[in-house]
Amino acid sequence: MFSLALALTGDRVRAEGVVVDVISAACSMLSLPDVELRHELSRRTYRRCTAAGPGHASTVGTEEGRQRAALSLVRFGGLDYCETAAVLGLPSPEVARLLNSGLHELVLTPEHPRP
């Protein structure tokens, strides 16, 4: 959850606060199976991170931010692309495109240039 929050906020202190808030609010959900609990905590972490508070602009308003959010929800939240689309409020094909382009950008770094 911390990795997801950090990827979404870009702020270590805010990410820690988000995780504490989400876990505190989720204590009543401990009866859920582990996978469902992980997915629900990821959804709540996303919502908490993107709820713009004073001085905290949302990072998902840009293409790069949406890519980061999609990749983070899949990687750290364990969501599939359809579940990620529902969380982000985007069509599934758009999330598939974001994941594809985001992965390509991760692979095509200066250490791994385009052939």
Side-chain angles (χ1 to χ4, degrees):
M1 286 176 41
F2 177 73
S3 296
L4 173 60
L6 183 59
L8 292 169
T9 64
D11 180 332
R12 191 171 198 79
V13 173
R14 183 165 179 234
E16 289 173 356
V18 165
V19 171
V20 168
D21 290 348
V22 169
I23 289 173
S24 296
C27 287
S28 64
M29 299 183 329
L30 296 178
S31 62
L32 291 175
D34 288 348
V35 172
E36 288 180 40
L37 181 60
R38 179 179 181 187
H39 291 181
E40 183 57 29
L41 291 174
S42 297
R43 288 182 194 96
R44 289 175 181 232
T45 299
Y46 172 81
R47 286 193 299 265
R48 183 77 170 95
C49 286
T50 58
H56 298 294
S58 175
T59 59
V60 295
T62 65
E63 177 78 3
E64 181 182 338
R66 285 186 294 275
Q67 278 180 348
R68 184 180 305 116
L71 289 168
S72 297
L73 286 165
V74 169
R75 171 64 178 99
F76 303 123
L79 303 178
D80 65 28
Y81 82 99
C82 291
E83 292 167 324
T84 298
V87 171
L88 296 176
L90 297 171
S92 296
E94 174 65 9
V95 170
R97 185 194 66 75
L98 288 168
L99 292 168
N100 185 48
S101 62
L103 288 172
H104 275 92
E105 288 179 23
L106 285 173
V107 171
L108 299 176
T109 62
E111 299 85 37
H112 301 92
R114 198 177 287 270

